[in-house]
């Protein structure tokens, strides 16, 4: 089968890109490839089998916010379908030894079944509405540009961090992008985060929902996942600081160290029952561009949370939509 567009990456950027392109050009054949076993990318989740039932724990993005009109409209749709829920406008802040409840901020939205369910929803809808025309393949790693070229597409879209895109683009011999383009793309570097989670016999901590942790070598965030999910499950999730993740690979004891630091800050004594950890090697970009996406004359494009705003779900979603608008007009007008 020859595809019109092939997409590397199956996270929220890809979901938004495909949704928009499909709405504008419903005749196109689109193939989405992701090396992971489950959809969602950094909207990652793990399924915990708790005594109270199955609980999806968010181990990637903690929540999403919406500032643009366009994304607010999307969020309103998710809310009306019950996929998303309003979680909280205020979070705690640990600043060194000081603890405070932050002033009211933007509404943080969470998903009943984990944020990954938003991406899964897109792709199950594509499979139902456009069978055979929009294809989503998991556990398919693209290792070379030649392999990607093999699909014969008019546009080859990387919906992932630039560092991941470059690993593929760099395999081309002779090089497919100029020295200057490569030097520009090489500026985009991402920083790691280790996420750890733990379940407990009961909720023994105060109703803090989530806490930003500042001036701490180990942690950057603690979240009460039961409060976030809305099922009240006794589950905590923590994100390490970038510095901690740079110094640590995943090892036995890492999760316990991270969870232990959270319990200390919350001033709680509790024994974890299930405990787990995941290292996001490319969690957060240190550089972002004002351009909403990158496109070159060789049919190559990159979109995601490094393009058009600060790194977050909203930026990723908008970047995918803007690239779809552009490709619909310039390649398939
Ligand atoms: C720990 C953490 C906390 C965060 N907290 C927040 C938050 O609170 N609020 C917020 O708005 N955002 C947050 N974010 C950021 C948010 O998760 C991202 O902005 C968003 O998920 C990016 O989506 P994406 O689709 O662009 O990229 P990704 O989700 O990274 O998807 C890219 C996909 O490409 C695949 N891929 C890459 N290379 C290949 C290849 N060669 N072949 C096949 N597949 C490939 C990967 O497997 C991946 O699934 C957080 C992220 C992390 C990691």
């Amino acid at each position: 089968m020859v595809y019109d567009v092939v997409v590397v990456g199956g996270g929220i950027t890809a979901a938004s890109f495909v949704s928009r392109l499909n709405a504008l050009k419903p005749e196109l054949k689109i193939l989405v490839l992701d090396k992971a076993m489950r959809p969602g990318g950094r909207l990652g989740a793990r399924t915990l089998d708790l005594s109270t039932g199955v609980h999806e724990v968010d181990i990637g993005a903690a929540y999403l916010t919406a500032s643009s009109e366009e994304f607010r409209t999307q969020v309103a749709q998710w809310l009306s379908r019950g996929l998303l829920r309003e979680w909280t406008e205020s979070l705690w802040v640990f600043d060194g030894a000081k603890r405070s409840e932050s002033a009211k901020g933007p509404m943080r939205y969470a998903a009943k079944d984990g944020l990954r369910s938003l991406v899964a929803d897109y792709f199950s809808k594509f499979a139902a509405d456009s069978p055979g025309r929009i294809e989503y393949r998991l556990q398919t790693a693209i290792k070379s540009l030649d392999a990607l070229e093999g699909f014969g597409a008019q546009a080859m879209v990387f919906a992932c961090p630039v560092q991941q895109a470059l690993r593929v683009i760099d395999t081309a011999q002779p090089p497919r992008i100029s020295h200057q383009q490569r030097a520009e793309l090489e500026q985009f570097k991402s920083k790691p985060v280790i996420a750890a989670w733990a379940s407990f016999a009961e909720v023994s901590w105060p109703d803090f929902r989530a806490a930003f942790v500042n001036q701490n070598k180990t942690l950057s965030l603690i979240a009460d996942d039961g409060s976030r999910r809305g099922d009240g499950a006794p589950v905590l999730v923590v994100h390490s600081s970038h510095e901690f993740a740079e110094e640590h690979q995943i090892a036995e004891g890492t999760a316990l160290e991270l969870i232990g630091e959270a319990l200390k800050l919350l001033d709680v004594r509790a024994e974890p029952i299930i405990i787990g950890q995941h290292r996001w090697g490319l969690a957060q970009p240190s550089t972002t561009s004002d351009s909403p996406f990158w496109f070159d004359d060789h049919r190559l494009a990159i979109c995601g949370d490094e393009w058009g705003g600060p790194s977050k779900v909203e930026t990723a979603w908008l970047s995918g939509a803007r690239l779809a608008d552009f490709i619909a007009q310039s390649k398939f007008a």
Side-chain angles (χ1 to χ4, degrees):
M1 157 105 78
V2 172
Y3 295 90
D4 299 300
V5 180
V6 59
V7 183
V8 178
I12 191 70
T13 300
S16 161
F17 170 80
V18 174
S19 171
R20 180 86 182 174
L21 189 60
N22 187 46
L24 295 169
K25 297 282 166 190
E27 69 282 4
L28 296 183
K29 291 197 179 73
I30 306 172
L31 173 65
V32 181
L33 306 161
D34 200 299
K35 61 187 177 184
M37 286 173 69
R38 297 174 75 179
R42 278 172 284 160
L43 301 189
R46 287 286 186 282
T47 308
L48 303 187
D49 205 354
L50 305 180
S51 58
T52 47
V54 169
H55 176 90
E56 287 288 318
V57 53
D58 268 311
I59 66 163
Y63 51 77
L64 59 85
T65 52
S67 55
S68 66
E69 197 55 44
E70 191 176 348
F71 194 55
R72 277 209 293 266
T73 304
Q74 177 60 63
V75 163
Q77 279 181 25
W78 283 327
L79 287 169
S80 71
R81 293 179 56 215
L83 287 173
L84 210 60
R85 59 191 294 271
E86 291 187 341
W87 179 30
T88 183
E89 288 177 317
S90 57
L91 304 174
W92 281 17
V93 181
F94 287 104
D95 238 319
K98 267 189 11 210
R99 181 177 105 179
S100 61
E101 184 140 341
S102 73
K104 215 168 149 192
M107 174 56 72
R108 278 83 171 190
Y109 299 94
K112 176 173 69 65
D113 296 320
L115 288 172
R116 178 174 58 197
S117 64
L118 303 179
V119 177
D121 176 69
Y122 272 110
F123 285 105
S124 53
K125 194 164 177 310
F126 298 147
D129 296 352
S130 321
R133 201 169 53 70
I134 300 179
E135 203 184 316
Y136 187 42
R137 286 189 210 160
L138 289 167
Q139 297 185 68
T140 310
I142 292 298
K143 299 204 168 120
S144 70
L145 202 54
D146 276 356
L148 203 56
E149 294 273 15
F151 294 104
Q154 288 293 304
M156 295 178 285
V157 172
F158 289 90
C160 59
V162 173
Q163 271 177 274
Q164 287 179 323
L166 268 184
R167 281 176 204 154
V168 177
I169 293 171
D170 276 348
T171 59
Q173 279 305 337
R176 290 282 302 277
I177 57 175
S178 69
H179 279 304
Q180 194 191 335
Q181 284 175 313
R182 195 176 186 294
E184 280 165 18
L185 292 177
E186 214 179 20
Q187 305 295 317
F188 292 83
K189 299 272 188 235
S190 293
K191 296 182 275 187
V193 166
I194 298 177
W197 56 95
S199 71
F200 299 85
E202 59 184 6
V203 173
S204 54
W205 47 85
D207 178 19
F208 71 103
R209 284 142 285 158
F212 295 118
V213 185
N214 303 328
Q215 302 180 61
N216 183 299
K217 281 192 180 148
T218 311
L219 293 188
S220 61
L221 183 108
I222 312 171
D224 175 339
D225 205 61
S227 134
R228 184 159 63 182
R229 207 63 342 98
D231 64 2
V235 176
L236 288 179
V237 181
V238 303
H239 294 169
S240 76
S241 66
H242 296 306
E243 298 71 27
F244 182 93
E246 266 151 18
E247 286 165 15
H248 293 74
Q249 292 298 320
I250 288 292
E252 227 180 278
T254 306
L256 260 183
E257 184 179 346
L258 293 167
I259 294 290
E261 180 69 14
L263 294 174
K264 201 169 86 188
L265 286 169
L266 292 167
D267 198 17
V268 165
R269 278 172 181 268
E271 281 300 316
I273 300 170
I274 302 171
I275 191 153
Q277 56 192 341
H278 178 81
R279 189 173 190 280
W280 296 101
L282 306 177
Q284 194 187 25
S286 26
T287 317
T288 54
S289 165
D290 289 342
S291 314
F293 54 81
W294 180 89
F295 192 87
D296 91 336
D297 297 340
H298 299 283
R299 302 178 284 139
L300 289 173
I302 308 177
C303 52
D305 63 342
E306 288 154 308
W307 303 94
S311 158
K312 53 181 182 169
V313 175
E314 178 175 20
T315 300
W317 188 91
L318 287 169
S319 172
R322 290 297 75 78
L323 180 62
D325 290 340
F326 174 79
I327 285 184
Q329 284 214 336
S330 63
K331 289 269 152 199
F332 302 104

